[in-house]
Amino acid sequence: MEEKKFEGKSKIVVNIENIHCGDCALNIERSVEHVPGVLSAEVSYVLSAATVYYDPHRVEVDRIKKAITKPGYAVRETLAEKTKAFWREMRPFIFMAASGVTLALSWILGWMKFGPSYLPTGFAIASLVLGGYPIVKSAIKALLIPDLNVDTLVSIAAIAATSVGAYQEAATVIFIMLLGEFLEHLTVGKTRKAIASLIQLSPKTAWVRREDKEVQVPIEKVKTKEVVIVKPGERVPVDGKIISGCGSINQSMLTGESIPVEKGVGDRVYCGTINESGSCEIEATQVAEDTKLAQIKRLILEAQAEKSPTQRVMDRFARYFIPAILLIALATFLVTGDPIRAITILIVACPCALVLGTPTAVVAAIGNAARQGILIKGGAYLEQMGRLKTLLMDKTGTLTEGRPKVVEMTTFDRLDEKELLYWAAIAEKRSEHPLARAVTKKAEELGFNIPHPDSFEDFRGKGVRAKWDSKTIIVGASDMVKDEGIEIPESTKRLLESKEAEGMTSLLVTLDRLLLGVISIADTLREGAKDAINKIREQGVSEIWMLTGDSELVADRIGKQLGIRYEAKLLPEEKVMRVKEWKKQGQTVAMVGDGVNDAPALAAADIGIAMGAVGTDVAIETADIALMSDELKKIPTVIRLSRKALRVIHENLVFALVFNTVLVILSAQGWVSMILGAVMHQASSLLVILSSMRLLTKGR
């Protein structure tokens, strides 16, 4: 059980052992919501967990647990409770098996006409009692809440069938219901295991350096600031910073990146990732439940427990559906005088498939997304993303790399580009300016060994002047070169103007008052940005805009490269205004940013999408959807998955409604028997679950 406290309220997540169907989850939910002091309760059948918000001054946790166990469900925490829960979990199977064996004997003896004539009836009654006990017990407990559930309908149907002497038919219906629930439980269990495998990545032990010795300790015993040793092939047990060694780190379980990332001293690593090569020592910064993996695990579970708008509507619909079915069955009996028709209506009309259609699809889609390094905070955002029409994107750090880069070099008097860069790098070596770092980084990429200048002067906002080996080097804007009395040819001025028109910043490089050339620097597009934009369009997103605080020239260059429209020179509050303007047009709007500078705009949009969230706590906490890596291709992936999830939800609901309606009509006409009705009812629930499980596959 997990408990959290907020201002004025608390939250607990309680694991529940024997939830057998979506209607069970609704029973628990209603039972808990009847407790004074409970603010809201959401029970997930797929996760077998209840998320309860309550006022700690008005109600205690034990009272909430009693409300969960009141309808006949179990909460396990201690070893004794786990043992009891195991047998409670096995009890439905035992009752089903006993009911099945006695029912089989009843039919076999009846066909073979073996023994006394009352023997088949006796075994049928035994099967009815054994199988009907848990169902009637659940129905009675639901009435005590008070509430009506699927077991109420089945109990009434079984009692009515028994009253007209249809013992074997009643026992068969009960057995089919129990068998269907068991198969349904197994099928949903596969979904649970698929999700559990995603979040059970943390190692159980860690190697820690203590008193100059390497000791293996349980993960819970590792402390912050301790040195943790990770050997090749091992999972990283903590979040931390590398202080020595290391090599390739596979981060796919957190970010979805397929290629391992090279890590060295000073780089951050995260719990659950795999050290594929090289040994390293890590200074632990977050341990146990404070790690990024633990944070992501909590978010996944909370997201899957949170109900989507469609699911809330269906749950409300189900509350009125059962009383309506009772009235329809009663009306059928009064009109036709045939109790079998009325009983069959009670059997076929249970809303299990309707209740399961949305939550199973939402859980499967969120689990699939998490495996690909995409955190979707809940079903509401999944559904909204499925309806997306307008996508607004930040430029710096989202569509572009977010740092200046040397993109062009123009030399004069047949000078080699490498020589131009060499002299510029010497002058810029001591500068901390972003443009200077772009120059020195380019030189490092080419393998230059850049010497330190003998002297260095920084003319803030203009450029630098340095001396090395008795030579004077100037790197800067045209104004600085003019101030030094160096003449700039007209052709060079035109070159600077053309580069400026393309949104680039140009640096003039001189050596002993001789103009060597021009280095043009710009923020560059992310790899795959153009392809990602094209794939987003393929998903039917009609409006894609870039919102940036950068200049018109820079925005125009990036916009043309990507083929999208833009708005430039926007302050953060102006981005928020643009988002609100788009929303007023009635379109579902998503905003993509880095989760820090764009937080107001992300919050204002229908869906806020943060990129590169694995390294940013703010991004994970504030965004509705967090892309754990900086890969733009994940945006069309999440749009495609959300659209597919929405389609599956609609298919499930339409199928469940049409299927139930047709069966009720056929039952009222007397064309469906009780046994066939039970089979068809359980088949509809299983088909809905299997339909949702399609969303667990990664896809193209």
Side-chain angles (χ1 to χ4, degrees):
M1 185 183 73
E2 182 182 330
E3 183 172 5
K4 287 185 181 179
K5 291 188 177 179
F6 305 88
E7 189 175 339
K9 64 178 179 179
S10 293
K11 183 189 86 169
I12 57 168
V13 178
V14 183
N15 294 318
I16 306 168
E17 286 308 315
N18 50 340
I19 302 181
H20 300 300
C21 65
D23 204 59
C24 295
L26 286 177
N27 286 343
I28 300 168
E29 198 170 285
R30 293 164 193 164
S31 178
V32 174
E33 285 178 342
H34 275 87
V35 176
V38 171
L39 306 175
S40 67
E42 292 186 348
V43 180
S44 170
Y45 160 50
V46 180
L47 296 176
S48 282
T51 304
V52 183
Y53 290 90
Y54 66 99
D55 184 344
H57 302 295
R58 295 175 59 201
V59 63
E60 295 181 349
V61 172
D62 286 343
R63 179 80 185 278
I64 295 171
K65 288 182 183 177
K66 285 180 182 177
I68 292 172
T69 56
K70 183 180 176 182
Y73 304 94
V75 175
R76 79 170 174 192
E77 290 174 76
T78 65
L79 182 60
E81 286 173 328
K82 287 180 180 179
T83 304
K84 288 180 182 177
F86 171 77
W87 287 111
R88 286 196 195 100
E89 187 78 14
M90 290 299 294
R91 194 183 299 163
F93 174 75
I94 294 170
F95 277 112
M96 180 197 72
S99 175
V101 170
T102 49
L103 178 63
L105 288 172
S106 173
W107 283 107
I108 291 168
L109 292 172
W111 287 331
M112 295 178 63
K113 300 189 183 301
F114 179 80
S117 59
Y118 59 80
L119 205 56
T121 302
F123 276 113
I125 293 172
S127 174
L128 191 57
V129 171
L130 288 167
Y133 169 74
I135 292 176
V136 174
K137 183 181 176 183
S138 172
I140 293 170
K141 287 187 174 182
L143 290 172
L144 293 174
I145 292 176
D147 195 15
L148 297 173
N149 65 2
V150 171
D151 290 333
T152 308
L153 293 182
V154 175
S155 298
I156 294 171
I159 292 168
T162 304
S163 68
V164 297
Y167 301 113
Q168 283 186 322
E169 288 82 355
T172 304
V173 166
I174 291 291
F175 174 70
I176 290 169
M177 289 294 183
L178 292 176
L179 179 62
E181 283 186 4
F182 177 71
L183 294 175
E184 188 178 301
H185 197 61
L186 287 180
T187 309
V188 173
K190 290 184 179 179
T191 307
R192 288 185 189 139
K193 286 177 183 177
I195 295 159
S197 65
L198 175 76
I199 55 182
Q200 292 174 349
L201 298 170
S202 180
K204 304 300 180 188
T205 60
W207 289 97
V208 180
R209 177 165 289 126
R210 291 179 180 172
E211 298 177 355
D212 295 327
K213 293 181 180 178
E214 289 184 16
V215 293
Q216 193 173 30
V217 299
I219 194 68
E220 298 83 12
K221 301 291 184 183
V222 181
K223 301 172 185 175
T224 55
K225 302 294 184 183
E226 281 197 302
V227 176
V228 177
I229 297 96
V230 183
K231 299 170 184 177
E234 292 183 343
R235 287 192 185 274
V236 178
V238 297
D239 287 2
K241 186 185 291 185
I242 298 172
I243 55 176
S244 75
C246 228
S248 296
I249 302 291
N250 186 334
Q251 301 186 145
S252 60
M253 63 291 301
L254 290 185
T255 66
E257 296 168 289
S258 56
I259 301 173
V261 180
E262 293 297 320
K263 300 270 188 176
V265 175
D267 289 333
R268 293 191 63 81
V269 290
Y270 302 100
C271 178
T273 57
I274 301 171
N275 179 23
E276 294 203 339
S277 65
S279 181
C280 59
E281 295 185 352
I282 300 164
E283 181 184 314
T285 54
Q286 278 90 31
V287 297
E289 292 304 308
D290 295 326
T291 64
K292 193 76 65 180
L293 179 63
Q295 184 183 15
I296 291 167
K297 173 183 173 180
R298 286 194 295 271
L299 287 172
I300 292 171
L301 293 176
E302 287 173 6
Q304 290 169 329
E306 182 189 326
K307 293 187 178 181
S308 71
T310 304
Q311 186 179 349
R312 293 180 193 279
V313 171
M314 287 301 104
D315 287 350
R316 285 197 296 271
F317 178 77
R319 294 190 180 196
Y320 301 106
F321 188 80
I322 292 175
I325 290 302
L326 287 170
L327 291 174
I328 292 170
L330 179 61
T332 301
F333 174 68
L334 293 174
V335 171
T336 65
D338 185 353
I340 300 300
R341 296 189 188 188
I343 294 167
T344 307
I345 288 173
L346 294 178
I347 294 168
V348 302
C350 300
C352 293
L354 201 62
V355 171
L356 289 171
T358 303
T360 51
V362 167
V363 167
I366 290 175
N368 184 342
R371 285 209 307 268
Q372 299 185 63
I374 302 166
L375 290 186
I376 303 174
K377 295 290 189 70
Y381 308 116
L382 182 75
E383 287 192 16
Q384 285 181 315
M385 201 67 185
R387 300 185 182 95
L388 183 67
K389 290 296 180 185
T390 301
L391 185 66
L392 309 178
M393 308 181 77
D394 175 48
K395 178 186 75 69
T396 307
T398 301
L399 291 169
T400 66
E401 294 287 352
R403 53 183 180 272
K405 193 173 183 181
V406 174
V407 291
E408 278 187 30
M409 288 184 282
T410 306
T411 61
F412 307 138
D413 297 328
R414 298 182 182 178
L415 187 73
D416 184 74
E417 284 185 0
K418 291 184 178 180
E419 190 175 353
L420 172 69
L421 183 64
Y422 178 77
W423 290 112
I426 293 173
E428 297 283 21
K429 186 160 187 177
R430 289 188 184 176
S431 175
E432 293 298 320
H433 194 280
L435 297 180
R437 286 200 293 271
V439 172
T440 54
K441 184 173 177 59
K442 182 69 174 178
E444 288 170 3
E445 288 173 0
L446 295 177
F448 290 177
N449 184 19
I450 306 299
H452 286 281
D454 300 324
S455 66
F456 172 80
E457 293 177 89
D458 189 349
F459 297 87
R460 196 165 296 276
K462 290 186 174 182
V464 299
R465 179 167 58 207
K467 286 191 176 181
W468 180 75
D469 194 23
S470 302
K471 299 183 187 304
T472 301
I473 313 163
I474 295 172
V475 180
S478 56
D479 289 347
M480 181 173 177
V481 173
K482 288 177 186 175
D483 291 344
E484 292 293 322
I486 301 172
E487 185 178 347
I488 303 175
E490 286 299 319
S491 59
T492 304
K493 290 179 182 179
R494 288 194 297 272
L495 175 65
L496 295 175
E497 288 171 0
S498 68
K499 296 305 175 189
E500 185 180 351
E502 293 176 29
M504 300 181 189
T505 300
S506 295
L507 300 176
L508 291 167
V509 182
T510 72
L511 179 66
D512 287 339
R513 304 181 64 80
L514 176 66
L515 198 59
L516 298 182
V518 176
I519 297 178
S520 298
I521 297 172
D523 188 7
T524 57
L525 281 180
R526 281 191 181 279
E527 185 179 350
K530 178 72 173 175
D531 185 49
I533 294 294
N534 291 336
K535 287 182 178 177
I536 290 169
R537 284 201 179 95
E538 289 173 8
Q539 296 303 316
V541 179
S542 55
E543 296 285 350
I544 306 174
W545 285 72
M546 177 176 67
L547 304 184
T548 178
D550 216 329
S551 68
E552 187 80 25
L553 292 172
V554 174
D556 186 65
R557 175 173 61 86
I558 299 297
K560 284 178 178 176
Q561 288 177 341
L562 292 174
I564 60 175
R565 287 177 284 183
Y566 65 87
E567 288 196 46
K569 295 184 178 180
L570 295 178
L571 297 171
E573 56 269 26
E574 290 175 320
K575 288 185 180 181
V576 173
M577 288 174 60
R578 296 296 186 276
V579 170
K580 290 180 177 178
E581 286 170 6
W582 278 108
K583 286 176 69 176
K584 283 179 183 177
Q585 296 178 22
Q587 298 201 29
T588 303
V589 179
M591 175 72 193
V592 185
D594 58 16
V596 182
N597 299 329
D598 299 301
L602 293 178
D606 292 309
I607 313 118
I609 304 174
M611 287 188 55
V614 72
T616 314
D617 289 333
V618 175
I620 292 179
E621 293 295 339
T622 60
D624 303 317
I625 296 175
L627 310 181
M628 303 311 291
S629 68
D630 284 327
E631 296 174 289
L632 278 167
K633 66 182 180 181
K634 292 191 186 299
I635 297 175
T637 297
V638 72
I639 296 172
R640 181 169 60 250
L641 179 61
S642 300
R643 296 216 194 290
K644 185 177 179 182
L646 201 60
R647 187 168 64 251
V648 168
I649 288 170
H650 290 160
E651 288 171 358
N652 286 349
L653 297 182
V654 169
F655 168 76
L657 284 169
V658 171
F659 198 85
N660 269 24
T661 302
V662 170
L663 281 180
V664 168
I665 293 170
L666 294 177
S667 300
Q669 299 296 321
W671 294 342
V672 176
S673 67
M674 284 189 286
I675 295 173
L676 179 60
V679 171
M680 298 295 281
H681 162 70
Q682 293 297 354
S684 67
S685 297
L686 286 170
L687 285 171
V688 162
I689 295 169
L690 291 171
S691 170
S692 295
M693 287 181 71
R694 291 180 292 161
L695 293 166
L696 284 172
T697 57
K698 188 170 180 178
R700 287 182 296 110

